[in-house]
Amino acid sequence: MKQRILPAILALALVPATAGAVDVGAGVYGGASFPILQDNAGNGSQFGVRVPVRLAPLLSVEGFYAQSALGDVEETYGGVLYTRSGPDVTTWGATAVLNFGGSFRFYPLAGFGSTTIKQSGAEALTETSINFGLGFGFSVMPKFAIDLRGELNSVLTGDTSRKFANLTAGVSYALFGN
């Protein structure tokens, strides 16, 4: 039953879509990334780009690229203090966004991607990731919007996962369409 809810919502969002009603935009964002239950990384920054494609009034799909530089952590072994450099995390993928509202909107989002984690002293790791979250956006003038988002990104690493909470603010501009 639960597996059928998301496809049903997406199908309903596509019903009002008409040929030629696709909007394409471009956006940039930045913010903070917080590793969850990871002792080898501290809080850091995140920035990236998004290419939102509005397929229907309720449904957008965003291609994205994100890069995070996580903070260093200090560890003590045998009474000696060591500093471990934080990992660099790059992700690219696609996110589905359900838009509710007009010039001020609220939207849940979910997506998937490919994430690479590089950290000194460890082999680079590239795995599938999933993300979901909530966002708020408002238009300050036609074709120009500001967005605030909270997301959880989970990198699936075999039997476990590495999770990051991301808080971002960004701007976007509608290139083609409305």
Side-chain angles (χ1 to χ4, degrees):
M1 178 70 177
K2 291 180 184 177
Q3 297 170 345
R4 295 182 182 161
I5 292 174
L6 184 59
I9 291 172
L10 293 176
L12 287 173
L14 287 173
V15 170
T18 59
V22 174
D23 296 339
V24 179
V28 296
Y29 63 94
S33 184
F34 307 96
I36 298 173
L37 298 175
Q38 296 180 46
D39 59 358
N40 66 342
N43 300 339
S45 61
Q46 182 181 67
F47 65 91
V49 295
R50 294 184 180 116
V51 179
V53 178
R54 191 162 123 185
L55 303 173
L58 287 179
L59 178 66
S60 296
V61 176
E62 294 180 342
F64 70 91
Y65 172 81
Q67 186 167 346
S68 299
L70 298 175
D72 298 345
V73 293
E74 293 184 347
E75 300 172 330
T76 303
Y77 291 109
V80 178
L81 182 65
Y82 294 95
T83 299
R84 177 183 252 183
S85 64
D88 292 325
V89 181
T90 56
T91 305
W92 59 270
T95 303
V97 178
L98 293 176
N99 297 300
F100 298 104
S103 61
F104 180 79
R105 65 189 193 289
F106 159 79
Y107 51 91
L109 53 102
F112 64 95
S114 176
T115 299
T116 300
I117 302 172
K118 294 179 183 177
Q119 188 167 20
S120 65
E123 193 172 318
L125 171 72
T126 300
E127 297 289 344
T128 300
S129 59
I130 56 174
N131 64 305
F132 61 91
L134 294 172
F136 298 94
F138 55 96
S139 296
V140 292
M141 67 175 126
K143 296 189 174 198
F144 184 76
I146 296 175
D147 291 284
L148 304 171
R149 291 186 182 186
E151 293 179 275
L152 178 67
N153 184 350
S154 181
V155 182
L156 310 173
T157 58
D159 293 338
T160 186
S161 64
R162 296 189 63 182
K163 297 171 191 69
F164 306 92
N166 302 315
L167 297 173
T168 61
V171 295
S172 61
Y173 185 78
L175 300 172
F176 308 107
N178 295 332

